[in-house]
Amino acid sequence: MKVSYDGTNYFGMQRQSDKPTIQQSLEDILNKLFCANIHINYAGRTDRGVHALSQVVDFEALKLFDLEVLKRALNALLPADIRVLKAYLVDDNFHSRYSCIFRDYVYIINTADVCMPFLKNYVWHVPKLNISRLKEIKDLFVGKKDFAVFSKTSTGRATNRFVKYIRIKQKGFIVAIFIRSNAFLRGMVRLIVGTMVSYAKGKTTRDEIIQSLNGKMSLHLLKAPACGLYFKRAIY
């Protein structure tokens, strides 16, 4: 299924024992509909407060629903901040995570002097951000690199990732940073965006970023807040 959600009130995608998550919300309703213990897989693990425009999840069930009926039933029972956009039947070997070739994220920044209060959960407010400086530095992160410094990943885990591109678009006071990679480490997008903003503000140098990517130094990184981050889509 393709699923969209507002992550403001959730502690991320992955189920936790004592906190509300997207996985828990979906599985609880699926369990009721299918009268079975349903477990979902998902294309990308989003953290607390992160949103999704089109997350992909899959599950196995013995009971067959008409797909439109299933979508309507889920949307009638799910909280209003989680919506199923589309449901599909797929091959047995499909897996939302392992079949995925690329994942797209978009990060939204509001550069206005004053940010409207109803946007506070959906953008990072960075007044008068120098967009030209952002564009100067974006391609340093493109290619196959070790992003150990730019993640919260545990020591000893593989940290090489292939970033296909970073693109920046601006309309008025809104700046969108699009990042495509084969996979992302935990916190990777927010640390990359935060570092780009730090450079744009003159608080980090180009050489420091290069040395960090080469593993020669560890920056004190600025981490962009979760509210501006969106899982855009998964590509198969």
Side-chain angles (χ1 to χ4, degrees), residues 42-206:
Y42 40 86
R45 174 184 170 180
T46 54
D47 288 337
R48 179 181 181 180
V50 176
H51 317 294
L53 302 176
S54 184
Q55 173 75 266
V56 176
V57 305
D58 73 87
F59 63 92
E60 292 184 358
L62 296 178
K63 183 179 179 181
L64 185 62
F65 266 88
D66 176 89
L67 297 178
E68 280 300 310
V69 171
L70 175 61
K71 184 181 78 171
R72 289 198 299 270
L74 284 166
N75 287 334
L77 296 170
L78 283 165
D81 47 11
I82 304 175
R83 279 294 170 264
V84 175
L85 306 177
K86 187 83 174 177
Y88 306 85
L89 282 178
V90 292
D91 293 337
D92 289 344
N93 60 0
F94 178 85
H95 192 288
S96 296
R97 177 183 175 189
Y98 299 123
S99 301
C100 187
I101 301 171
F102 286 106
R103 294 160 177 84
D104 287 357
Y105 277 87
V106 58
Y107 197 95
I108 307 298
I109 298 175
N110 184 343
T111 64
D113 287 344
V114 177
C115 182
M116 291 296 187
F118 48 78
L119 294 178
K120 66 182 179 65
N121 293 324
Y122 308 104
V123 299
W124 183 14
H125 184 214
V126 187
K128 300 178 180 178
L129 181 63
N130 189 325
I131 310 305
S132 296
R133 292 270 294 176
L134 282 186
K135 292 179 178 179
E136 285 177 15
I137 211 71
K138 68 181 180 66
D139 288 338
L140 287 183
F141 300 96
V142 174
K144 186 175 182 180
K145 301 178 187 295
D146 185 349
F147 287 95
V149 173
F150 297 88
S151 75
K152 297 190 295 182
T153 302
S154 303
T155 304
R157 298 187 63 182
T159 51
N160 286 328
R161 295 292 185 272
F162 172 63
V163 174
K164 188 171 184 180
Y165 63 68
I166 296 180
R167 294 171 181 165
I168 300 173
K169 295 183 179 180
Q170 181 179 16
K171 187 171 184 179
F173 293 118
I174 298 298
V175 175
I177 301 174
F178 299 88
I179 303 182
R180 173 174 291 182
S181 179
N182 64 326
F184 290 90
L185 300 169
R186 190 178 178 193
M188 179 174 156
V189 177
R190 292 167 61 191
L191 286 164
I192 288 175
V193 171
T195 301
M196 291 171 63
V197 170
S198 182
Y199 174 82
K201 291 182 172 182
K203 296 180 179 180
T204 302
T205 68
R206 183 185 185 91

